[in-house]
Amino acid sequence: MEIIARVLASLTGLLHVWIFIMESVLWMRPSIYRRFAVPSKEQATQLKDVMLNQGYYNLFLALGSLFGAAFFTSIDGAATVLLYSNLCIAGAGAVLLISKPALFRAALIQGLPALVAVVTAFLSL
C-alpha cells in the first residue's frame, strides 16, 4: 500500500507542477486559458493575477505531495505532509466538481489520484 500511496502522491505532485506552469507561466496562451473554461483573451487578462496566485497554491501543494512521497517513511512527519497535501488536492477536486460539473474530467484527474494516495497511505500506516 505504501508504494501505491507514494507513486500516486508523486503523480499528483507532478500534475500540480504542470497546473502551476499552466496557471502562472503559460496562462495567456489561448490553448491554456480555454482549458480552464475561459473563452476570451479579455477574460483571461482579467484573471491573470488571480491565476498567478492560484498557480502558486498548486505549486506549494505539489511540493508537499512530492516531499511526502519521497520521504514517507524516512523523515518524521513526511507521511503527515503527504496526507495533508493530498487531502487538500482531493478537496479542491471535489470543490471543482461541485461548483462546475461540466469540468468533471478535470476534477477527476485532479482529485482521484490524490484521494487514492490518501486512502492507501492511511492503510499503510
Side-chain angles (χ1 to χ4, degrees), residues 91-112:
V95 169
L96 180 60
L97 178 62
I98 292 165
S99 65
K100 196 143 188 149
L103 295 178
F104 173 80
R105 184 172 180 260
L108 191 65
I109 290 169
Q110 176 179 353
L112 187 59

Side-chain angles (χ1 to χ4, degrees), residues 2 14 35 56 69:
E2 176 190 330
L14 292 173
R35 285 185 188 192
Y56 275 93

Side-chain angles (χ1 to χ4, degrees), residues 78-120:
T80 303
V81 173
L82 181 146
L83 291 167
Y84 176 77
S85 297
N86 282 273
L87 278 169
C88 289
I89 292 167
V95 169
L96 180 60
L97 178 62
I98 292 165
S99 65
K100 196 143 188 149
L103 295 178
F104 173 80
R105 184 172 180 260
L108 191 65
I109 290 169
Q110 176 179 353
L112 187 59
L115 181 61
V116 175
V118 166
V119 169
T120 55

Side-chain angles (χ1 to χ4, degrees), residues 13-90:
L14 292 173
L15 172 65
H16 280 74
V17 169
W18 172 238
I19 293 170
F20 156 75
I21 292 168
M22 288 191 294
E23 292 174 341
S24 296
V25 179
L26 304 175
W27 176 250
M28 289 308 298
R29 293 184 181 183
S31 62
I32 299 298
Y33 62 72
R34 287 186 185 127
R35 285 185 188 192
F36 293 86
V38 175
S40 70
K41 183 176 182 177
E42 294 75 25
Q43 289 175 328
T45 301
Q46 292 173 343
L47 292 170
K48 187 175 180 182
D49 291 338
V50 172
M51 296 309 290
L52 177 71
N53 192 20
Q54 180 67 29
Y56 275 93
Y57 272 96
N58 280 306
L59 178 63
F60 299 144
L61 287 171
L63 294 175
S65 190
L66 292 169
F67 171 85
F71 301 108
F72 188 75
T73 55
S74 59
I75 294 179
D76 287 342
T80 303
V81 173
L82 181 146
L83 291 167
Y84 176 77
S85 297
N86 282 273
L87 278 169
C88 289
I89 292 167

